[in-house]
Amino acid sequence: MTVEGEWSPAEGEHGLGTKEEMSPLKSVEGKENGELGPVTTEGEKLKASDDEDPEVAKESAQDKEFQPPEGGWGWMVMLAAMWCNGSVFGIQNACGVLFVSLIEVFGSKDDPALTFKTAWVNSLSMGMIFFCSPVVSVFTDIFGCRKTAVVGAAVGIIGLLSSSFVSSLEPLYFTYGILFACGCSFAYQPSLVILGHYFKKRLGLVNGIVTAGSSLFTVSLPFVLRFLLDQIGLFNTLRVLCILMFILFLAGFTYKPLVPQRSNLEFRKNGKFRCPSIRKIFNFSIFKSKSYCIWAFGIPAALFGYFVPYVHLMKHVRETLGEDVKEEVLLLCIGVTSGVGRLVFGRVADFIPGVKKVYLQVVSFFFIGLMSMMIPLCHSFGGLIAVCLFMGLFDGCFICIMAPIAFELVGPENVSQAIGFLLGFMSIPMTVGPPIAGILHDRLGSYDVAFYLAGIPPIIGGIILCLIPWIHQRTLQKQIEAVNGEAEEKMLEKPVSTLLPGTAENAKNEDASVA
């Protein structure tokens, strides 16, 4: 017998529910306060438990109980991931130097579409890194971060080495633009996922440090590339870059997973396996989150002009200020302030609750768009340096908080494919942007219009991202109200005897006293 108003375990047996089930904030399954997740009814839980494999259920329980160590071997993983970001995006961000060299080696002054054709090499490379990401996320879920990263680095070495033996521009579309880029993609994405295995409270700071790796390489690599290109030529320079990829190959072995991997391949006793349906391989359930859908649309919308300065700024400086100017200094400025931005804003993001971190990306896109429009207005090298300093700072802010926002929107169990799909969507604007700028240059004779137009998409994308916190909070409130409504309905459906403990016992005592 229990006192009225006091909770009893027996009430859960009659369907009233345990304390955890009655709590509206915990009924949003798999999430904590401020995070989205599907609301699961009691019947759906029972059905899911019947259909679920014991192994899958065991893995799911382990995931919910998992707590990152916040350090330990994670610091070594952080350094390896930092090298990955540096070697992959350091080479990509220094593409302006390679772009000029490609024009000198393979170009012809009689070719009216020379800038357009050459821009495709670097655009394909950057675009394929992101285009492969949805597939990479599946490989990461199936084979784990370590195997995926190591194989990716090996493919990248093959692509970069084969690029050093071509005799014309067209083969580079495949060797450098596709093969090398696909290898980089398979090496890069596991470096984002593995950090969530070791850090949670410090994830923003760690992501800032890791993504700062590309800034360190962006600062130094343009000068190194210019020296190598002048001393040993384009092809030997590509062979030297293979050393960076080989170190990346070794770094991938440090990605020791802590969260049990989810394998969607059903192995049989005879060693054969069968691949399940596409729906089981690709986690399309993340698109049920309206907040994630807006984020996955707003980011690509903002990036149509993002990569244009990286590819064409060097040539623009040569055309407007002359060849005596050391244009590599501009990439140095972008790299330095980008590294500062990643460290500072990565730490700031740790103090911003939930999806409100997205406001940092909104501010970043506004400034990136504005700085892009300022490039044609700068008629002195000092003005371009100031623009590049601001552009780099907010570029670092945008990049370093991508993973933390993904964790907030879909949770750690879905973050791999959430990042994969997002990077895949990003590949389209980042691939087509620089060639379009090249066409405008070939037709108009200057980059002014190209840079003006490149500044518009980031501003539009920032406006779209402003909707995410409001929609996220509204969706969460609806889920809580739905859970509360279900609990009230269950209470109303119960007979009085189950809701008032001791009623039957009191009735028996009254009958006995009458007798």
Side-chain angles (χ1 to χ4, degrees), residues 154-297:
V155 173
I157 294 173
I158 295 173
L160 195 57
L161 186 62
S162 59
S163 298
S164 66
F165 293 99
V166 301
S167 57
S168 62
L169 187 65
E170 285 74 15
L172 285 174
Y173 294 153
F174 174 73
T175 58
Y176 188 88
I178 296 179
L179 192 60
F180 168 64
C182 286
C184 288
S185 181
F186 275 76
Y188 165 65
Q189 191 174 331
S191 72
L192 297 180
V193 176
I194 194 65
L195 295 176
H197 291 220
Y198 289 88
F199 300 95
K200 184 177 181 181
K201 295 179 181 178
R202 300 172 177 170
L203 186 59
L205 175 62
V206 170
N207 267 283
I209 296 174
V210 167
T211 55
S214 64
S215 299
L216 295 177
F217 278 70
T218 302
V219 167
S220 57
L221 204 54
F223 297 96
V224 175
L225 287 178
R226 175 53 58 196
F227 174 79
L228 292 175
L229 289 170
D230 292 339
Q231 296 297 320
I232 60 178
L234 174 63
F235 300 121
N236 287 325
T237 298
L238 293 177
R239 292 163 192 157
V240 171
L241 291 179
C242 290
I243 299 175
L244 302 182
M245 297 302 296
F246 179 72
I247 298 176
L248 175 58
F249 171 80
L250 299 178
F253 287 100
T254 65
Y255 296 168
K256 180 181 178 182
L258 299 183
V259 177
Q261 70 184 57
R262 297 176 180 82
S263 177
N264 287 310
L265 295 178
E266 300 175 5
F267 290 90
R268 298 177 180 177
K269 292 182 179 180
N270 58 5
K272 298 181 179 179
F273 65 90
R274 54 192 176 97
C275 188
S277 63
I278 296 297
R279 290 186 177 182
K280 289 185 178 180
I281 294 178
F282 291 99
N283 185 10
F284 293 112
S285 63
I286 59 177
F287 292 103
K288 294 180 181 179
S289 169
K290 293 181 181 179
S291 302
Y292 175 77
C293 290
I294 295 174
W295 192 57
F297 173 77

Side-chain angles (χ1 to χ4, degrees), residues 122-132 423 427-428 430-431:
N122 293 311
S123 292
L124 273 175
S125 181
M126 179 62 85
M128 286 301 297
I129 289 179
F130 298 116
F131 182 76
C132 295
L423 296 180
S427 67
I428 299 174
M430 297 191 75
T431 301

Side-chain angles (χ1 to χ4, degrees), residues 456-472:
I456 296 176
I459 296 175
I460 295 176
I463 294 173
I464 295 173
L465 295 183
C466 287
L467 301 173
I468 292 178
W470 176 72
I471 292 178
H472 183 87

Side-chain angles (χ1 to χ4, degrees), residues 483-498:
V483 172
N484 288 336
E486 287 182 7
E488 291 177 1
E489 288 179 4
K490 289 179 181 180
M491 293 179 66
L492 293 174
E493 289 174 359
K494 297 183 183 305
V496 177
S497 59
T498 60

Side-chain angles (χ1 to χ4, degrees), residues 93-117:
N93 292 341
C95 63
V97 179
L98 294 175
F99 177 76
V100 174
S101 180
L102 288 173
I103 290 180
E104 293 174 352
V105 174
F106 298 110
S108 172
K109 294 182 179 180
D110 299 329
D111 190 350
L114 175 62
T115 305
F116 170 71
K117 291 180 180 178

